[in-house]
């Protein structure tokens, strides 16, 4: 089949969860970079407290669709690979990566209140917006460590193992 010379759909399916989970990690890293930079401005704390609630609200709602797409695709491609049992050494890694990507959403009950607190913080120089965003970041760091990075690692191992057998 000539089309396999330029584009192999099977290889795409094997690599796709790694690509989408990499995109998820980039989003998580950017969230850390942008928000931790904002809350670290000690001398400008009054200004940051005044603007942070609206900044965080905009940041959160604009980023949420990207989270659903990247994690949704990671889970879907991971399950597809798990179900198709690509090789005896990789299918369990795809399953673990999918479960860990899904575990990202297990943090919703904990993080949704942090989001609400950050958005509802008073827009004034003496407000507590910085502390509310730091509370969100603290949960974000734990979620990255126990779900996001391990999911990416599983998809990396799965991809490497499955491509050996292609």
């Amino acid at each position: 089949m000539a089309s396999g010379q330029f584009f192999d759909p099977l290889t795409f399916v094997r690599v796709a969860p790694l690509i989408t989970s990499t995109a998820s990690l980039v989003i998580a890293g950017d969230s850390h970079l942008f928000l931790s930079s904002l809350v670290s401005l000690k001398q400008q704390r009054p200004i940051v407290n005044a603007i942070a609630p609206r900044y965080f609200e905009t940041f959160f709602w604009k980023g949420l669709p990207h989270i659903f797409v990247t994690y949704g695709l990671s889970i879907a491609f991971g399950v597809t690979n798990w179900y198709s049992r690509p090789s005896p050494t990789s299918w369990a890694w795809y399953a673990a990566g999918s479960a860990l990507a899904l575990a990202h959403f297990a943090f919703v009950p904990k993080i949704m209140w942090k989001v609400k607190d950050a958005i509802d913080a008073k827009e004034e120089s003496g407000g507590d917006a910085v502390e509310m965003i730091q509370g969100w970041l603290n949960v974000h760091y734990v979620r990255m460590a126990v779900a996001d990075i391990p999911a990416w690692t599983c998809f990396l191992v799965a991809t490497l193992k499955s491509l050996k057998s292609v």
Side-chain angles (χ1 to χ4, degrees):
M1 176 180 238
S3 66
Q5 292 177 336
F6 299 106
F7 177 75
D8 181 7
L10 182 60
T11 300
F12 172 75
V13 170
R14 300 296 184 243
V15 174
L18 179 61
I19 294 169
T20 56
S21 63
T22 299
S24 298
L25 276 185
V26 169
I27 293 167
D30 286 349
S31 298
H32 159 72
L33 176 66
F34 299 140
L35 294 176
S36 66
S37 296
L38 182 68
V39 301
S40 69
L41 298 171
K42 304 284 187 223
Q43 292 180 339
Q44 294 81 16
R45 180 67 50 100
I47 296 167
V48 173
N49 272 326
I51 65 164
R54 295 302 59 84
Y55 177 82
F56 184 80
E57 181 177 28
T58 302
F59 173 87
F60 179 78
W61 290 114
K62 284 190 175 202
L64 198 59
H66 299 282
I67 294 298
F68 285 131
V69 168
T70 60
Y71 281 96
L73 287 173
S74 294
I75 294 163
F77 281 121
V79 168
T80 299
N81 279 294
W82 167 78
Y83 185 75
S84 69
R85 306 262 175 150
S87 73
T89 59
S90 66
W91 72 270
W93 288 100
Y94 282 115
S98 300
L100 287 163
L102 186 61
H104 175 92
F105 297 104
F107 284 83
V108 169
K110 177 77 172 167
I111 215 160
M112 70 182 185
W113 301 111
K114 304 291 185 186
V115 170
K116 182 179 181 340
D117 291 344
I119 290 172
D120 291 347
K122 293 181 180 163
E123 296 177 56
E124 55 189 41
S125 60
D128 59 355
V130 168
E131 289 78 17
M132 298 300 109
I133 292 174
Q134 186 60 57
W136 181 89
L137 280 167
N138 293 342
V139 177
H140 177 67
Y141 298 147
V142 171
R143 180 179 59 200
M144 282 180 67
V146 302
D148 302 345
I149 294 170
W152 180 86
T153 304
C154 287
F155 287 135
L156 174 65
V157 172
T159 300
L160 293 174
K161 288 183 175 287
S162 69
L163 291 182
K164 274 188 192 177
S165 63
V166 171

